[in-house]
Amino acid sequence: MVRRLSREKALASAAADNGQHGYFIAADSTVVLDGESIAKPLDVDDARAMLRRLWGTQHQVVTGMTILDASTGRCITESMSADVAMREFTDAEMESSIASGTPMDKAGAYAIQDDEFRPASMLNGCYPNVMGLPVCRVVEILAELGCSTPDWADMTVPHGCLGKCPFQSGDTSPGSGATQRSAGATQCSGGMR
């Protein structure tokens, strides 16, 4: 689902730009608990129900991403998963988070990077993936598509990253992160002019 949605977003962005040259990066994330996808809340009651359901659980955050090279029509669509533990927060902490508005545009109604609420912690995987965009893998995909990227030696490990990360390991080979590819580098269709 998240791969499909990221691909649709990338294609729509490229089409809206009338196929100008450049790279289009799109992502979509979901929280997965017991095999069920938990998206963004519809309203504060939905946010409250999601947070209560996730309270004290271990779950996954899955992010799909697509990078489209508009000049060639080639794109790469992948997804990454990370394991997260939600803490046992109080009702007062939950209500304060909801009042801040933070949960309203987040899958699962929380942001792992929320310094006030501090709802969850990483068990395994890429911290930026849980935030919504696995930056290290984006850099790798851009390089695979022929985009000039910074030297790996000049990059640092993203804060909180616990998975196999090219910034940590020094492994600069494409695909060194924990990913699941859908179609790899293919021609994107459906909306490109």
Side-chain angles (χ1 to χ4, degrees), residues 11 14 40 49 55 80 105 112 122 131 145 149 155 165 172 175 179:
L11 289 168
K40 296 176 184 176
W55 186 89
M80 291 181 74
D105 66 343
I112 196 166
M122 295 291 298
M131 291 173 56
L145 290 172
T149 59
M155 297 182 190
C165 179
T172 60
T179 64

Side-chain angles (χ1 to χ4, degrees), residues 123-183:
L123 295 174
N124 185 31
C126 176
Y127 186 83
N129 180 66
V130 178
M131 291 173 56
L133 189 65
V135 179
C136 53
R137 188 60 192 134
V138 168
V139 172
E140 288 179 325
I141 292 171
L142 286 168
E144 288 176 40
L145 290 172
C147 180
S148 177
T149 59
D151 187 327
W152 287 97
D154 295 334
M155 297 182 190
T156 58
V157 178
H159 171 75
C161 196
L162 301 175
K164 183 176 180 186
C165 179
F167 298 133
Q168 288 175 320
S169 66
D171 180 358
T172 60
S173 61
S176 59
T179 64
Q180 297 175 342
R181 282 199 177 202
S182 60

Side-chain angles (χ1 to χ4, degrees), residues 6-7 65-69 74-78 137 140-142 144-145 181-186 188:
S6 74
R7 189 176 181 96
M65 65 191 141
T66 296
I67 301 179
L68 166 65
D69 179 349
R74 287 181 60 218
C75 69
I76 295 177
T77 298
E78 296 183 352
R137 188 60 192 134
E140 288 179 325
I141 292 171
L142 286 168
E144 288 176 40
L145 290 172
R181 282 199 177 202
S182 60
T186 60
C188 274

Side-chain angles (χ1 to χ4, degrees), residues 50-69:
M50 286 179 183
L51 288 169
R52 285 189 174 129
R53 183 165 179 218
L54 291 169
W55 186 89
T57 67
Q58 292 183 9
H59 55 273
Q60 292 77 43
V61 175
V62 182
T63 298
M65 65 191 141
T66 296
I67 301 179
L68 166 65
D69 179 349

Side-chain angles (χ1 to χ4, degrees), residues 104-125:
M104 300 316 298
D105 66 343
K106 308 289 188 289
Y110 75 90
I112 196 166
Q113 70 274 19
D114 184 341
D115 287 334
E116 295 289 321
F117 185 30
R118 300 183 190 274
S121 59
M122 295 291 298
L123 295 174
N124 185 31

